[in-house]
Structures are given as structure tokens and as C-alpha cells.
């Protein structure tokens, strides 16, 4: 009698576990079908070149791009009826570029000696960086676009400082032209500038100057105050300040005041 009672209990527990497993399995398969159907619908809409589906796909492509944690990841995408994808992307500021050239140990003083990059060298590295990111972004989008929904890319890379934004790189290029560029050997700055054209600006940027680069050909009379401060600081650090001296910048009523 005791054996039969124990056997009945074990069988009841087994049936309960099987029922729980069957219920969980059914819920899992239902959720899996729902996810797969959503993915297939998203794929169908992308292959049909529906604008919002193409934009969502492009966001997914760019989200997989591997960048340092300090780099901004904000990007605004839109696709018009002609197949031009407008890409407005936040770029890393110059603070993201290390200024250390070398580190050596001085056996005489038993201290580490840090060699720093000149301001102009660091600015050149930063300029190259933002142009590399711009070209990489265009490459990733064209390469991933299997439905060939993107005919052209209008790119604008923005350096943002609070509420102020400066266009650091802008170009517009079609798929066939971009395919002829050898990105393994091309100079990123020269390449981006050679593409020509300007990415369409949104209304919120309409009042801002759209220069190809904040580093070259800048009209100082029309320069945003942030760029002018940067220019003054670099100029004084290069030509006025001695080793160990610091350049401080402050805004005054009629312009910029600099103190070494």
C-alpha cells in the first residue's frame, strides 16, 4: 500500500511537471513565431523600400558599429522619395583625441617623461578622425543595403557643444561614385572634400554656417564663437605660450579675451 501511494504521488508530480513544460513550450513557440513574423514583416517592408523600414534598418546597421565608449552615438536619419538618405551624426570632439605622443622613463630622475602633441598636430588628428567616421558610416550603409534602397547618401557630421553645433564634415555621394573609392589608401580629409556637395540641412541648423570643415577656409567674421575660441587658444598655445604656461579663454561682451 505504501509503495502504491508513493508511486501515485510520483506520477502526479511527473504529470504536473510535464504539463508545466508543455505550457512553457507552447508559450515559447508562440513568442518565437510572433518574433519571426515581425522580423519577416520588417524584412518585407525593407525589401519593398518603404522609407521608415529602410531608416529602421540603417539605425540597426549603425548601432552595430564598434566605437570607443566616449564617442557620441547620436544619429538622425531620413530617406526621401528619390532614395537619398540624409545622415546627421554627432562627431567626437577634440577632447576624445589623446594628446600624449610618448611616455619614457628617465633613469636619472626616476620619473616618467610624457611627450605631448602640439595643438596643431592634435587638431589634424581630430580632423582626420571625423572624416574617417564619415566615410566609414557611408561605407557601412551602402554595404549593408542589400535591397539597394539607398541611391545617395547626404552626410553631415556635427560637433556639438551644449546647444551649439558646428558642421565638421559634409558631403553628398551616390552609390556608384562611392564604389570607385579605394578607402584603404585614400586620405580621408581629401577624399571627403573631393566628393563635393553639401548634405541637406534641417531647419534647426538653417541659421548656422555650413562649412566643409571647421579647420580650413573659415571666415573669422562669421565663425561661431566656439570655433573662434578654439582658434585663439591654438594660436596662442603655438606662438605665444611657453612650456608649462596655460592659455585661458573667456567670453567678454564684444568678443573673446585670452590670458596666457
Amino acid at each position: 500500500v505504501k509503495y502504491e501511494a508513493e508511486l501515485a504521488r510520483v506520477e502526479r508530480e511527473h504529470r504536473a511537471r510535464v504539463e508545466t513544460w508543455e505550457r512553457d513550450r507552447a508559450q515559447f513557440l508562440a513568442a518565437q513565431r510572433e518574433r519571426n513574423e515581425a522580423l519577416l514583416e520588417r524584412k518585407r517592408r525593407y525589401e519593398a523600400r518603404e522609407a521608415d523600414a529602410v531608416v529602421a534598418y540603417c539605425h540597426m546597421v549603425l548601432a552595430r558599429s564598434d566605437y570607443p565608449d566616449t564617442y557620441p552615438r547620436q544619429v538622425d536619419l531620413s530617406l526621401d522619395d528619390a532614395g537619398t538618405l540624409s545622415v546627421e551624426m554627432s562627431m567626437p570632439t577634440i577632447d576624445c583625441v589623446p594628446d600624449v605622443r610618448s611616455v619614457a622613463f628617465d633613469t636619472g630622475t626616476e620619473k616618467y617623461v610624457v611627450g605631448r602633441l602640439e595643438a596643431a598636430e592634435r587638431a589634424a588628428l581630430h580632423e582626420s578622425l571625423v572624416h574617417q567616421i564619415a566615410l566609414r558610416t557611408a561605407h557601412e550603409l551602402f554595404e549593408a543595403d542589400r535591397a539597394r534602397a539607398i541611391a545617395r547618401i547626404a552626410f553631415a557630421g556635427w560637433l556639438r557643444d551644449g546647444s551649439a553645433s558646428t558642421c565638421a564634415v559634409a558631403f553628398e555621394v551616390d552609390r556608384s561614385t562611392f564604389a570607385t573609392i579605394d578607402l584603404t589608401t585614400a586620405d580621408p580629409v581629401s577624399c571627403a572634400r573631393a566628393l563635393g556637395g553639401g548634405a541637406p540641412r534641417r531647419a534647426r541648423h538653417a541659421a548656422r554656417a555650413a562649412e566643409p570643415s571647421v579647420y580650413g577656409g573659415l571666415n573669422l567674421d562669421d565663425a561661431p564663437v566656439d570655433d573662434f575660441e578654439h582658434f585663439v587658444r591654438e594660436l596662442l598655445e603655438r606662438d605665444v605660450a611657453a612650456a608649462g604656461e596655460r592659455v585661458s579663454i573667456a567670453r567678454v561682451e564684444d568678443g573673446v579675451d585670452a590670458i596666457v
Side-chain angles (χ1 to χ4, degrees), residues 125-136:
L125 285 175
H126 179 240
E127 183 179 25
S128 178
L129 170 65
V130 297
H131 285 77
Q132 288 179 54
I133 292 175
L135 294 172
R136 169 182 170 172

Side-chain angles (χ1 to χ4, degrees), residues 232-233 236-238 240-250 258-260:
V232 171
R233 179 182 290 106
L236 293 181
E237 286 178 345
R238 187 188 66 186
V240 178
E245 292 182 334
R246 184 170 59 89
V247 178
S248 297
I249 300 292
I259 301 173
V260 179

Side-chain angles (χ1 to χ4, degrees), residues 105-141:
F105 182 73
D106 188 335
T107 56
T109 61
E110 295 187 346
K111 293 181 179 179
Y112 287 99
V113 179
V114 179
R116 302 285 178 180
L117 293 172
E118 298 291 339
E121 292 176 306
R122 192 181 186 200
L125 285 175
H126 179 240
E127 183 179 25
S128 178
L129 170 65
V130 297
H131 285 77
Q132 288 179 54
I133 292 175
L135 294 172
R136 169 182 170 172
T137 300
H139 168 73
E140 289 177 334
L141 291 171

Side-chain angles (χ1 to χ4, degrees), residues 37-58:
E37 288 170 1
L39 289 173
L40 289 173
E41 175 62 13
R42 185 180 299 179
K43 178 183 178 183
R44 183 198 65 77
R45 295 180 61 238
Y46 163 69
E47 291 176 343
R49 302 183 182 182
E50 296 182 18
D52 57 343
V54 174
V55 167
Y57 176 71
C58 292

Side-chain angles (χ1 to χ4, degrees), residues 69-101:
D69 293 338
T70 56
Y71 286 23
R73 300 305 302 267
Q74 293 82 22
V75 62
D76 187 11
L77 304 174
S78 65
L79 184 72
D80 65 17
D81 294 337
T84 297
L85 181 70
S86 177
V87 182
E88 299 206 13
M89 190 173 186
S90 294
M91 291 294 190
T93 64
I94 197 170
D95 294 335
C96 295
V97 179
D99 65 348
V100 176
R101 180 198 300 278

Side-chain angles (χ1 to χ4, degrees), residues 155-186:
F155 185 93
W158 297 90
L159 298 175
R160 306 188 190 278
D161 181 12
S163 60
S165 296
T166 304
C167 185
V169 53
F171 58 80
E172 187 170 344
V173 61
D174 60 73
R175 179 186 292 272
S176 58
T177 300
F178 194 81
T180 63
I181 301 173
D182 184 359
L183 295 176
T184 61
T185 59

